[in-house]
Amino acid sequence: METGTCQSRPAILNALSALHLPFSTTLKFFFLTLLTISIASSAYAAPSDTATNKKIVVDFYDMAFAQRMPTKAALKFISPTTYIQHNPEGKDGRDNFINGFAKFVENGTLKYVIKRAIAEKDLVVIHSHCLDNPADLNERGQAYVDIFHVQGGKIVEHWDVGQPIPEKSANSNRMF
């Protein structure tokens, strides 16, 4: 049995040695390798998780704003226990989304059209064109970027920024 620790080897091996378990150095190294792989892989979402998170948010956005069923979308896609809202005009919580913004959408003509969706791990970004009154052919609308945080298959956090689409631009680039 070891009575001390060696300062030149990794702390995890010292910790395993301190347990006085009958493991060989090779077996301890094997467990260390498995632990390292486990920690490293848990820090990154697998590509399929990224794709799943993107689908959750795109489906939410489509149901809420294209199909104009935001309450149904919230009940299906937003976490019932955790929904952090970073828009200073909105309150935290799924029920507050349903009783606030969802009611506004359901009682008005507001429509968002997704222009692009980008996902990385548990964050999904939607770039969209928002129209207050889609029937008004002269309305330019606003460009929006919404950022969603997804955990456990549910939306748990939201940020957004928007800007009006100007009549004239200082450049020839389009906003979408």
Side-chain angles (χ1 to χ4, degrees), residues 4 7 53 61-63 66 88 102 107 110 120 123 132 138 159 172-173 176:
Q7 296 301 318
N53 292 339
Y61 217 83
D62 179 64
M63 183 182 288
N107 294 323
L110 186 72
E120 182 179 343
L123 294 176
D132 292 320
N138 294 318
W159 299 258
S172 60
N173 305 318
F176 302 108

Side-chain angles (χ1 to χ4, degrees), residues 32-130:
L32 174 64
T33 303
L34 285 178
L35 178 65
T36 302
I37 291 169
S38 174
I39 291 169
S41 65
S42 67
Y44 299 97
S48 62
D49 294 338
T50 297
T52 299
N53 292 339
K54 184 176 179 181
K55 181 171 177 19
I56 288 166
V57 171
V58 168
D59 288 352
F60 164 76
Y61 217 83
D62 179 64
M63 183 182 288
F65 304 119
Q67 298 176 43
R68 304 189 42 72
M69 297 184 291
T71 298
K72 183 177 179 181
L75 292 171
K76 182 174 182 177
F77 296 107
I78 295 177
S79 168
T81 58
T82 305
Y83 180 65
I84 301 165
Q85 176 58 261
H86 293 276
N87 183 315
E89 295 178 8
K91 294 180 180 179
D92 290 344
R94 180 175 76 179
D95 290 343
N96 286 319
F97 174 86
I98 290 169
N99 294 319
F101 196 65
K103 295 295 181 215
F104 173 75
V105 171
E106 290 167 350
N107 294 323
T109 58
L110 186 72
K111 184 175 182 177
Y112 286 79
V113 178
I114 295 174
K115 297 299 183 174
R116 63 188 46 85
I118 304 162
E120 182 179 343
K121 302 173 191 161
D122 58 353
L123 294 176
V124 180
V125 178
I126 300 288
H127 184 208
S128 65
H129 185 191
C130 172

Side-chain angles (χ1 to χ4, degrees), residues 133-156:
N133 182 5
D136 181 355
L137 300 179
N138 294 318
E139 182 189 359
R140 292 181 303 280
Q142 300 100 34
Y144 267 89
V145 174
D146 288 272
I147 305 169
F148 296 91
H149 178 201
V150 179
Q151 278 184 338
K154 297 289 184 185
I155 295 168
V156 297

